[in-house]
Amino acid sequence: MQGKYVSKNIEKKWQEYWNKEALFRVKEDVRFPKFYCLEMFPYPSGRIHMGHVRNYVIGDVIARYKRMNGFNVLHPMGWDAFGLPAENAAIKHGVHPTKWTYENIDYMREQLKKLGLSYDWQREVATCDLGYYKWNQWFFLKMFEKGLAYRNASRVNWCPSCETVLANEQVIDGKCWRCDNVVTQKELEQWFLRITAYAEELLNLCDTLIGWPEKVIAMQKNWIGRSEGVEVNFKVAGIGEKIRIFTTRQDTIYGVTFISIAKSHPLVSELIKDRDIINKIELLSEDPEKKEGVFTGYYAINPLTGDNVPVWISNFVLREYGTGAIMAVPAHDQRDFDFAKKYNLPIKVVIVPENSYKLQVTSYKKTVTSYELRVTSKENSTNSLLKTRYSSLPLDSSLIAEAYEDEGILIDSGQFSGLSSKDARERIADFIEVKGFGKRAINYKVRDWGISRQRYWGTPIPIIYCEKCGVVPVPENMLPVILPKEVTITGKGANPLSTVIDFINTECPKCKKPAKRETDTMDTFVDSSWYFVAYCLKDRNALSVMRNELNENILDSSLITHHSSLSYWMPVDQYIGGIEHAVLHLLYSRFFTKVLRDIGLLNIAEPFQNLLTQGMVIKEGAKMSKSKGNVVDPDYLIEKYGADTVRLFCLFAAPPERDLEWSDQGVEGAYRFLNRLWGLVYKYREALDVKGKGGNTQIDASRLTPYALRLLRKTHQTIKKVTNDVERDYHFNTAIASLMELMNEAIAFDILEPGDERVLNFCIKNIILLLSPFAPHFAEELWANLGGQQSTLNEPWPRWDEEMVKEEEIELVVQINGKLRGKITIPVGLREEAIKEKAFQDLKVSDYIKGKSVKKVIVVKSRLVNIVTG
RNA sequence: GCCGGAGUGGCGGAAUUGGUAGACGCAAGGGACUUAAAAUCCCUCGUCAGCAAUGGCGUGCCGGUUCGAGUCCGGCCUUCGGCACCA
């Protein structure tokens, strides 16, 4: 054994050993429970960063821990390999995206191996592999068959910089999620996946995701955005048309004073012929902050009141949500209120705050947060109808400063006056349905997922356009539609694939006449929506599908025939990744899983049983980024300290879900810990043997000195603590802290008696095993040096003896009136009366209570005694 | 505006069920070893008073419940995320 710890001398050696012994190879042995541990796969940008390191180290500890606890662990890694940066590299440096991507993958794979991560590389996938993206196309066809994939012309989010369409989820604060440029709107023919068909299930099953952070569930629910309300038809006066509106506040329907419809509502082009009005509509502001509208000249009839109300076109009404038309109630909706004020439209109050309904309302007066209802006269009104009391009031709308949007009691609302908002919503909805004015309806904020991208480096959408047959899906047996390699990427103008003549021109699968291919590719979020399923397949030689060549395509048959592998491994037991995917990737993956279930490939509804969202790695208070110049290079750190130190620091500095503040000195601290432990083992190298001398035989505690017993007890306590900390939300930081404590005690320990050696041996043996998931190379080296015959990964996780954990004597705190006044040492199991007696005997305590009357004495088992004096 | 976190020494953090606040680590200060430095080892380390024993105060702020509150309840403040014309 070497006298000094030199990471370079051991890390490569153990990585080669693990590889040679195929130690990370997945075992599918039905006699043992399975554990699927997954970390979000990276985009192969070129090099890994500290965020990746943290993510993958956390996952690796879990995988190794579960392995040692007897699980068959599936712990795979792959590459989210399609996407824009590869195309940008092509534009900038003239390198083909294929070459650029696979070279990056090769480099990054080596980086991950250098960290000692326990991946089964035989299950590696890259989404740009032909054998992988073929399945994107297959799923697309299945969805097309079921009506879940459809084509639609619509206004879409367009990023002028990326020159591509973005899904709603990919627009953040009006900007592109990738390049941060302002997103504009554009009318395009797009392919959509009907995620809305699963909106209800996606929402309901949120409540089954008990292993997910509440924050993420809240974000998912919020994004799906379910609203319950009614759809009501308003007839347009004088013509046969109807305007169908959606509202959740049917309790305010008597307060409707106008109708607002979206610019692109179908009635607009149908009804508006006047050039003047059309021009005005086009001039409406794009800025939703500025409420603007144009009067159509038409009136609509409120079916409940019979009132004629003007129909306006408003810039703030969304075509895509609900029916694209709303009933406007300015008294009870701030947006309608602003609009009404601007165009001098009437404001009719129909809801008053609940606690004021017995009072007579004369005016609304604005206060800081709401209206105050001022009482000017009293009347004995207990039995009179609210309607008569309120309808005669001259409510001057100029006195109203803002809308009252809360719930309350209805006034001026016909037969519904006097009801609470809550009751009225039910009663009015019933009434509307009975009378045939409309029906109850549910709307979701989530939109169908637009997946068309006008880019090259992605999965070709398997559709052919034939003049005679129209939109024709590529038959299954003709998959994959191969992404052609010969292409010129300029980054400007048309979609790159539309310039590849050999690709576009094909024949119609139906009529065999010449036809043209779809030239858009799929959103790369499609790729990442099911990769966790691909990892479940066995007997796959990853390299054969790596090179984008047609031959051996192992994924080809396996996805369907290996059904049993899918049902064995799915769902993922533990998923780990950044919070930034709380909506996009996780929602899409949940959607895909449900579709795959309905196709018959999966027998589960939710893909991820437990989700851990790890915090960011920050330095000097900010997220690491090149522009801030605060990045830390993993390669440099591994070179300087070794992977085990880097791993240890990442795990020790903060619990996984919190942000991690990078500290160069903290890294030194982790390094020091390993060095001290090495030094300890080296000092006793002759005396220690993990396979004998108490290594695996029971130590007879009754024959030990109290001194040795203390170390033995501490060892058992530490095994318990480390195990519990890992089990309890993966709090590795406290687990490592307790290993440090134990090591400190072991260093202070001297072998005095013959039995002491066995205790120290037991202690050190367990420190090494407990440390092995965190610092695997280091643990392997020490283990082997102390006579270990096999990898620590194949050793069982240490077990503690509950009897040995218990102390024989404990220190008890004595409080007087809740304040700490003394400490007593008592044997465990001492009776309460005896404890009290002992507490009162304590000199300091008796001093304090001298001359005072004792009112009460509280004894908390193995914690404290609290004496309450008068 | 709505939803969700977080607030504890100089710093990262610990305190698992309401029961000794500050584990573990970093930094800092003092000492040992050394010709010297690095490394290593030992000691101190919330704050105020005190030579000390010890005592007062202390987990963002105000109040409450309790024998006892970092932890529970009510009301604020600060801060970080997410959503934001969704009718």
Side-chain angles (χ1 to χ4, degrees), chain A residues 26-281:
Chain A
V26 171
K27 294 186 195 78
E28 279 179 31
D29 186 335
V30 290
R31 288 172 304 170
F32 299 102
K34 68 98 183 180
F35 192 89
Y36 186 175
C37 180
L38 180 68
E39 300 116 49
M40 291 180 184
F41 65 169
Y43 177 80
S45 56
R47 336 193 87 209
I48 58 164
H49 53 69
M50 286 316 299
H52 292 130
V53 172
R54 187 178 190 202
N55 188 172
Y56 303 150
V57 166
I58 290 167
D60 195 52
V61 173
I62 296 170
R64 287 173 177 271
Y65 172 79
K66 290 289 175 183
R67 268 286 295 268
M68 294 175 81
N69 276 284
F71 288 84
N72 291 329
V73 174
L74 173 56
H75 187 218
M77 185 36 75
W79 311 97
D80 189 11
F82 272 138
L84 210 47
E87 262 176 89
N88 291 340
I91 295 159
K92 234 176 160 178
H93 309 295
V95 53
H96 194 276
T98 309
K99 182 171 155 46
W100 186 83
T101 303
Y102 283 115
E103 281 178 6
N104 284 348
I105 288 174
D106 287 341
Y107 186 81
M108 291 169 77
R109 190 189 303 108
E110 287 313 305
Q111 285 188 298
L112 297 184
K113 286 183 178 172
K114 278 201 290 181
L115 281 165
L117 303 171
S118 63
Y119 297 123
D120 181 354
W121 287 103
Q122 288 212 333
R123 302 219 170 196
E124 179 179 8
V125 297
T127 57
C128 62
D129 290 349
L130 187 56
Y132 187 91
Y133 74 70
K134 174 197 158 146
W135 289 96
N136 284 344
Q137 296 174 339
W138 190 78
F139 294 139
F140 180 89
L141 293 177
K142 289 288 159 195
M143 291 199 212
F144 183 80
E145 263 171 44
K146 289 173 144 292
L148 291 171
Y150 66 95
R151 193 162 175 256
N152 198 18
S154 69
R155 288 175 69 83
V156 292
N157 303 305
W158 177 262
C159 175
S161 166
C162 302
E163 296 202 354
T164 190
V165 164
L166 299 172
N168 270 320
E169 294 86 336
Q170 292 160 7
V171 182
I172 293 146
D173 282 335
K175 288 174 185 161
C176 174
W177 70 288
R178 192 180 270 287
C179 71
D180 228 27
N181 274 291
V182 173
V183 172
T184 60
Q185 300 289 304
K186 194 170 175 175
E187 183 94 11
L188 271 183
E189 283 279 333
Q190 295 288 305
W191 282 97
F192 288 88
L193 299 183
R194 208 180 294 280
I195 193 169
T196 53
Y198 288 85
E200 188 75 36
E201 193 182 8
L202 285 166
L203 183 72
N204 290 340
L205 292 187
C206 277
D207 294 329
T208 69
L209 301 173
I210 48 174
W212 285 39
E214 277 182 44
K215 179 189 175 132
V216 177
I217 292 172
M219 283 165 79
Q220 293 257 321
K221 283 183 175 175
N222 193 23
W223 190 267
I224 295 164
R226 182 180 195 270
S227 293
E228 250 176 69
V230 291
E231 285 179 4
V232 187
N233 293 315
F234 280 56
K235 282 184 186 140
V236 181
I239 56 171
E241 300 288 349
K242 283 178 197 161
I243 296 172
R244 173 173 282 241
I245 62 94
F246 173 72
T247 183
T248 57
R249 287 302 300 271
Q250 59 269 25
D251 53 318
T252 65
I253 199 164
Y254 282 77
V256 173
T257 57
F258 60 102
I259 293 285
S260 278
I261 64 176
K263 271 201 285 199
S264 49
H265 192 283
L267 274 185
V268 174
S269 54
E270 209 173 306
L271 294 181
I272 313 296
K273 303 294 173 208
D274 187 325
R275 274 260 43 110
D276 232 35
I277 298 180
I278 293 169
N279 286 342
K280 279 186 190 160
I281 294 169

Side-chain angles (χ1 to χ4, degrees), chain A residues 676-697:
Chain A
R676 293 182 75 204
L677 183 53
W678 184 281
L680 173 68
V681 172
Y682 182 75
K683 179 179 170 191
Y684 291 109
R685 65 192 179 284
E686 301 299 335
L688 301 174
D689 178 0
V690 294
K691 287 296 163 194
K693 296 182 190 170
N696 51 7
T697 52

Side-chain angles (χ1 to χ4, degrees), chain A residues 405-417:
Chain A
E405 293 185 323
D406 290 345
E407 308 214 328
I409 302 296
L410 274 67
I411 59 167
D412 266 353
S413 296
Q415 57 177 297
F416 304 104
S417 294

Side-chain angles (χ1 to χ4, degrees), chain A residues 682-828:
Chain A
Y682 182 75
K683 179 179 170 191
Y684 291 109
R685 65 192 179 284
E686 301 299 335
L688 301 174
D689 178 0
V690 294
K691 287 296 163 194
K693 296 182 190 170
N696 51 7
T697 52
Q698 207 64 42
I699 297 173
D700 185 356
S702 65
R703 297 176 64 176
L704 293 174
T705 59
Y707 174 71
L709 186 61
R710 211 180 67 207
L711 184 64
L712 181 64
R713 182 161 282 138
K714 179 81 179 170
T715 305
H716 280 280
Q717 287 167 343
T718 304
I719 296 170
K720 182 177 182 179
K721 170 116 177 85
V722 171
T723 307
N724 287 347
D725 283 350
V726 172
E727 291 288 339
R728 172 179 65 100
D729 298 329
Y730 308 122
H731 278 211
F732 307 123
N733 56 331
T734 50
I736 292 167
S738 62
L739 282 172
M740 288 174 169
E741 276 187 61
L742 180 59
M743 179 193 72
N744 288 340
E745 293 213 6
I747 286 174
F749 187 80
D750 288 314
I751 296 175
L752 304 171
E753 307 276 330
D756 294 356
E757 196 173 294
R758 294 180 58 171
V759 172
L760 188 66
N761 193 45
F762 179 78
C763 170
I764 288 176
K765 170 200 155 155
N766 282 299
I767 291 179
I768 295 169
L769 289 179
L770 294 171
L771 185 66
S772 68
F774 308 119
H777 313 86
F778 183 89
E780 292 278 36
E781 182 68 20
L782 292 187
W783 190 252
N785 271 309
L786 299 186
Q789 298 297 308
Q790 57 172 356
S791 167
T792 51
L793 201 56
N794 286 332
E795 293 289 335
W797 185 252
R799 296 166 76 138
W800 70 91
D801 180 346
E802 192 59 45
E803 281 307 306
M804 286 305 302
V805 168
K806 287 182 191 150
E807 298 281 356
E808 281 173 347
E809 282 200 323
I810 48 169
E811 195 180 57
L812 222 59
V813 163
V814 185
Q815 294 182 336
I816 294 165
N817 296 327
K819 283 196 191 285
L820 177 76
R821 294 301 180 198
K823 287 175 184 182
I824 54 174
T825 305
I826 56 148
V828 165

